Amino acid sequence: QLQAYGGGLVQAGGSLRLSCAASGSISSINMMGWYRQGPGKQRELVATITTGGRTNYADSVLGRFTISRDNAKNTMYLQMNSLKPEDTAVYYCNAVIDRSGRYYPASSWGQGTLVTVSS
């Protein structure tokens, strides 16, 4: 299972780095991703990364967030810069299944981490 941590309270324009720790090896997980669920909103996929390092981002975070992974440490990261109040959400990580360009979470949800951006 994957557990996210590193959230907190930050002012608009600030930065945070989230981490996603796995209980086992992530080297065999082809695609991993960060999701978030804001207040009153559906959970959305914000970034993905493959074992080969190919990344993809939602338009809302493109240019501000950077996803990375360290297979040796069984950890994935999300560097979030230029944070906005609308980035306020609980952030989750998960393996991702790609079915003909449609992405789905591969397993049950682990613990998320709350990011609050104040204006």
Side-chain angles (χ1 to χ4, degrees):
Q1 199 174 47
L2 300 171
Q3 306 287 352
Y5 59 97
L9 174 64
V10 63
Q11 288 189 329
S15 298
L16 276 177
R17 188 174 85 152
L18 305 183
S19 298
C20 172
S23 56
S25 174
I26 67 170
S27 60
S28 62
I29 302 176
N30 180 52
M31 182 179 288
M32 300 180 67
W34 283 97
Y35 293 77
R36 69 183 180 186
Q37 186 167 18
K41 298 180 180 179
Q42 289 189 332
R43 194 170 303 184
E44 61 173 343
L45 181 62
V46 297
T48 61
I49 186 168
T50 66
T51 50
R54 188 179 73 233
T55 59
N56 198 15
Y57 299 92
D59 289 344
S60 58
V61 306
L62 186 63
R64 301 187 298 121
F65 289 12
T66 301
I67 188 172
S68 61
R69 62 192 285 176
D70 186 337
N71 289 345
K73 295 182 178 180
N74 296 322
T75 304
M76 178 177 65
Y77 305 97
L78 186 68
Q79 177 67 43
M80 305 186 295
N81 299 328
S82 302
L83 282 162
K84 305 175 181 180
E86 51 263 45
D87 294 319
T88 295
V90 178
Y91 285 72
Y92 302 86
C93 53
N94 208 330
V96 178
I97 296 174
D98 179 358
R99 291 178 179 160
S100 301
R102 287 181 169 266
Y103 298 155
Y104 300 91
S107 61
S108 59
W109 297 102
Q111 173 184 303
T113 187
L114 176 62
V115 173
T116 303
V117 184
S118 64
S119 57

